[in-house]
């Protein structure tokens, strides 16, 4: 699970990482009230789980509470990389002298935890030349070695290491970690990914109280494995591997997937109806691709599930659905869908052709 910035900031503060004072607001007037309470200049920041908010206009400085109201009014409701902004963080503005980049993460190919540090923070780390990024392998029993960071950064880095270890995080990234005019080192942005497999031994009740992306929250409550992405082609498939490759073929066909949604092994009517309704609820979706490989649940059962699901959804089926069925009993499944002749459904036999069709409809 990825944390929103304000959740990351709360987690940082709980581990004595210096962060600017701030609170989250869902309306311009609430943002103004927070700015008045904080006093001085504030920074108003879109709370979405994607980077590059600054470039997208989702981070603005406000000199006064009334400017904070105006900034919040502009940022709330914005869409950044497919994510609607429902909340802003209102934080005391920092007087930035230096911007560093600092991250702890799991380097899967090297099978170790590493620290990444750069004196060229603030910009996209992908844009920073590799030569100016210092990568330091970390022995998890010892923590970061003394020479991994400059002396002024080391104490804050040690606290961020505490966050990484204590929270069972797979990523703790601070970009920028700043030095302000008073010489203080502060984390003014935070990206944290927590390891869901370790939730059983964690208590995040005080940081995960705010609503997530509404589609993700709804999917989770329905027991669906759904991740919101920033494209226009909704994806539903059975099996994580199949869904991942479906994302790839859709991208290969020149479109961008709107989500990842794995309905798992049993593709019955109810789970299909739930999946279709979660994807159709996303206003960014222009077409859907349902890619099912029949196994224990055979394609004729899946086809009947799709038809019952479409029946249940009725007028809510407002965008074209491309279906590809293969595997156990494929011919029977395709015959059922063909006979039903739903006006919004087209049946395509191969995965590549189905992706091409969905991509074409999704770009329109
Ligand atoms: P991101 O674009 O999503 O990574 O959002 P950040 O929180 O990193 O903010 C983007 C940029 O806005 C930072 O790199 C800073 O240059 C600037 N910024 C953020 N907070 C402050 C602040 O308190 N004061 C000033 N002067 N600039 C800020
Ligand atoms: Mn940043």
């Amino acid at each position: 699970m990825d944390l929103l910035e304000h959740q990351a900031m709360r987690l940082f503060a709980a581990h004595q990482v210096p962060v600017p004072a701030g609170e989250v607001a869902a309306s311009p007037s609430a943002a103004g009230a927070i700015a008045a309470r904080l006093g001085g200049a504030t920074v108003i920041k879109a709370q979405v789980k994607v980077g590059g908010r600054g470039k997208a206009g989702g981070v603005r400085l406000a000199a006064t509470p009334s400017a904070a109201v105006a900034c919040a009014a502009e940022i709330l409701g914005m869409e950044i990389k497919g994510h609607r902004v429902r909340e802003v963080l209102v934080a005391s503005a920092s007087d930035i002298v230096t911007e560093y980049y600092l991250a702890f993460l799991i380097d899967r190919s090297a099978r170790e935890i590493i620290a990444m540090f750069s004196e060229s923070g603030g910009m996209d780390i992908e844009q920073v030349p590799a030569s100016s990024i210092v990568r330091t392998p970390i022995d998890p029993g010892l923590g970061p070695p003394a020479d991994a960071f400059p002396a002024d950064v080391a104490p804050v880095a040690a606290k961020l290491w505490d966050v990484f270890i204590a929270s069972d995080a797979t990523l703790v990234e601070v970009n920028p970690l700043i030095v302000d005019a008073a010489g203080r080192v502060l984390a003014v942005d935070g990206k944290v990914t927590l390891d869901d497999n370790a939730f059983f031994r964690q208590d995040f009740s005080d940081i995960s109280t705010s609503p997530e992306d509404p589609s993700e929250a709804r999917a989770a409550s329905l027991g669906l494995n759904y991740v919101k992405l920033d494209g226009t082609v909704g994806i539903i498939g059975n099996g994580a591997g199949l869904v991942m490759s479906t994302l790839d073929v859709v991208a290969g066909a020149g479109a961008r997937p709107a989500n990842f949604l794995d309905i798992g092994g049993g593709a019955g009517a109810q789970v299909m109806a739930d999946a279709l309704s979660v994807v159709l609820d996303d206003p960014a979706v222009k077409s859907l691709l349902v890619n099912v490989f029949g196994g224990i649940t055979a394609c004729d059962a899946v086809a009947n599930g799709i038809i019952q699901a479409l029946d249940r959804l009725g007028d809510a089926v407002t965008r074209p659905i491309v279906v590809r069925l293969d595997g156990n009993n494929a011919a029977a499944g395709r015959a059922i869908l063909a006979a039903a002749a739903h006006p919004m459904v087209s049946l395509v036999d191969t995965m590549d052709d189905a992706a091409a069709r969905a991509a074409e409809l999704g770009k329109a």
Side-chain angles (χ1 to χ4, degrees):
M1 179 177 91
D2 293 336
L3 295 186
L4 287 163
E5 179 190 27
H6 74 270
Q7 296 171 322
M9 290 298 165
R10 239 180 299 165
L11 186 62
F12 289 177
H15 290 271
Q16 284 77 50
V17 175
V19 296
E23 278 175 61
V24 75
S27 69
S29 58
I34 296 166
R37 211 157 41 235
L38 290 170
T42 53
V43 56
I44 316 300
K45 312 179 77 176
Q47 295 302 285
V48 284
K49 292 178 181 178
V50 287
R53 295 166 301 158
K55 260 187 237 155
V59 176
R60 290 176 191 233
L61 289 167
T64 62
S66 61
V69 173
C71 289
E74 278 181 48
I75 295 172
L76 287 165
M78 258 175 85
E79 197 175 285
I80 302 180
K81 297 180 184 170
H83 293 251
R84 183 73 55 195
V85 180
R86 289 162 212 285
E87 293 174 314
V88 290
L89 173 64
V90 181
S92 289
S94 304
D95 191 354
I96 300 181
V97 175
T98 310
E99 293 187 300
Y100 295 129
Y101 173 96
L102 190 159
F104 294 111
L105 64 145
I106 294 173
D107 180 339
R108 290 176 200 278
S109 50
R111 300 177 190 178
E112 59 191 6
I113 298 172
I114 59 165
M116 280 173 60
F117 180 78
S118 174
E119 302 202 335
S120 314
M123 55 171 134
D124 242 2
I125 193 64
E126 285 80 11
Q127 247 74 299
V128 176
S131 58
S132 64
I133 303 174
V134 180
R135 298 162 64 92
T136 310
I138 301 175
D139 178 334
L142 299 176
D147 59 355
F149 310 104
D152 57 338
V153 170
V156 176
K159 305 288 188 203
L160 287 164
W161 173 253
D162 291 344
V163 172
F164 184 86
I165 292 299
S167 316
D168 288 311
T170 56
L171 171 71
V172 169
E173 183 188 66
V174 181
N175 187 25
L177 180 71
I178 65 145
V179 183
D180 73 6
R184 282 176 305 197
V185 177
L186 289 172
V188 305
D189 187 12
K191 182 167 181 218
V192 172
T193 305
L194 301 170
D195 184 350
D196 299 10
N197 295 311
F199 277 8
F200 71 93
R201 61 177 192 184
Q202 291 285 352
D203 176 12
F204 294 119
S205 49
D206 53 336
I207 56 160
S208 41
T209 46
S210 82
E212 305 196 15
D213 177 276
S215 302
E216 286 189 356
R218 190 156 159 251
S221 73
L222 294 167
L224 295 171
N225 193 359
Y226 171 96
V227 180
K228 172 93 178 89
L229 302 171
D230 60 4
T232 56
V233 179
I235 310 280
I236 297 171
N238 63 335
L242 180 66
V243 179
M244 290 303 282
S245 39
T246 307
L247 301 184
D248 287 348
V249 287
V250 165
R256 296 169 69 82
N259 65 276
F260 170 103
L261 201 174
D262 172 17
I263 55 174
Q270 189 56 52
V271 68
M272 190 56 83
D274 290 346
L276 286 170
S277 96
V278 164
V279 175
L280 285 163
D281 266 357
D282 177 354
V285 167
K286 294 205 175 114
S287 67
L288 280 77
L289 172 53
V290 176
N291 188 9
V292 172
F293 196 90
I296 293 170
T297 307
C299 288
D300 52 333
V302 174
N304 283 322
I306 293 173
I307 288 165
Q308 287 172 38
L310 292 170
D311 235 37
R312 267 175 226 185
L313 294 169
D315 293 344
V317 185
T318 48
R319 277 142 292 166
I321 304 174
V322 179
V323 180
R324 177 258 184 172
L325 284 182
D326 210 339
N328 186 9
N329 261 355
R334 290 175 192 168
I336 290 168
L337 281 176
H342 190 286
M344 297 304 270
V345 174
S346 49
L347 200 53
V348 178
D349 286 353
T350 71
M351 182 150 147
D352 284 345
D353 290 348
R357 180 93 188 102
E360 189 186 306
L361 292 165
K363 279 187 280 192

